[in-house]
Amino acid sequence: DIQMTQSPSSLSASVGDRVTITCRASQSISSYLNWYHQKPGKAPKLLIYDASTLQSGDPSRFSGSGSGTDFTLTISSLQPEDFATYYCQQSYSTPYTFGQGTRLEIK
Amino acid sequence: QITLKESGPTLVKPTQTLTLTCTFSGFSLSTSGVGVGWIRQPPGKALEWLALIYWNDDKRYSPSLKSRLTITKDTSKNQVVLTMTNMDPVDTATYYCAHLVGADFDYWGQGTLVTVSS
């Protein structure tokens, strides 16, 4: 199985901050990397696919980059609705493993 | 508009078999490239991918759970069924089904919490 490791596990930030979350794969996955966000009590939502393609309807303050084993999710200016847990997921080969999550909290 | 909804028991006893049904609308599981997957999330923990089935009946399972899982589809009813045998309290989780194009879970159900307890 491909292991996905996110850092940090949790992060405190303020509205307007620029935030970066990283995800590392245990082997190369090319650009087969998705990002999801999840609010408490809700299902996850696909945010970015293929490492850098923003899902339709999601705001442009979210961006993704990376290829191979190292990936980042950046939020350029945090908004109140962005406080959630973020997960990466490799879509290179089954099992399509998820990272352990990054909880983004309000400072 | 794509929607999915999970249904099944909220409480199962240890050693029992869990059967969950995902009923969907807005797409057909006979369309090339389309799939439905199952993902679970224990309370306060991370997401865990379980299984998926594609339009061509290609089935994939989590290696760690493969011996306990079976996934099937009924295209005419727009349903996907996941069975998990020999349930244990560690299997207590919210179980989600999700629509797949390729390997991207782009639409999710609301999830159903399954508790395993005697």
Side-chain angles (χ1 to χ4, degrees), chain A residues 1 34 36 38 42-44 46 49 55 87 89 91 94-96 98-100, chain B residues 39 41 45-49 52 54 60 62-63 96 103-106 108-109:
Chain A
D1 299 6
N34 300 328
Y36 300 83
Q38 183 182 33
K42 300 294 187 182
L46 180 63
Y49 60 95
Q55 183 72 343
Y87 293 95
Q89 176 233 341
S91 54
T94 55
Y96 294 137
F98 290 87
Q100 82 278 16
Chain B
I39 304 100
Q41 185 172 39
K45 296 188 177 181
L47 301 165
E48 179 183 15
W49 179 86
L52 62 83
Y54 285 111
R60 307 291 178 94
S62 168
Y96 296 100
D104 307 331
F105 296 104
D106 57 354
W108 294 60

Side-chain angles (χ1 to χ4, degrees), chain A residues 37-45 80-87 102-106, chain B residues 41 43-45 94 96 110:
Chain A
H37 58 166
Q38 183 182 33
K39 296 190 178 179
K42 300 294 187 182
K45 289 186 176 181
E81 60 268 30
D82 299 337
F83 292 94
T85 300
Y86 292 81
Y87 293 95
T102 296
R103 185 175 178 183
L104 181 53
E105 301 174 316
I106 300 174
Chain B
Q41 185 172 39
K45 296 188 177 181
T94 296
Y96 296 100
Q110 63 189 26

Side-chain angles (χ1 to χ4, degrees), chain B residues 9-69:
Chain B
T10 57
L11 179 66
V12 298
K13 297 184 188 304
T15 75
Q16 286 187 336
T17 294
L18 171 69
T19 299
L20 293 173
T21 301
C22 177
T23 303
F24 56 85
S25 63
F27 68 95
S28 172
L29 204 37
S30 59
T31 301
S32 179
V34 171
V36 170
W38 286 92
I39 304 100
R40 70 178 179 181
Q41 185 172 39
K45 296 188 177 181
L47 301 165
E48 179 183 15
W49 179 86
L50 299 177
L52 62 83
I53 188 166
Y54 285 111
W55 86 103
N56 58 357
D57 212 38
D58 183 11
K59 303 171 185 178
R60 307 291 178 94
Y61 296 99
S62 168
S64 62
L65 294 167
K66 185 174 182 177
S67 63
R68 299 173 53 205
L69 294 174

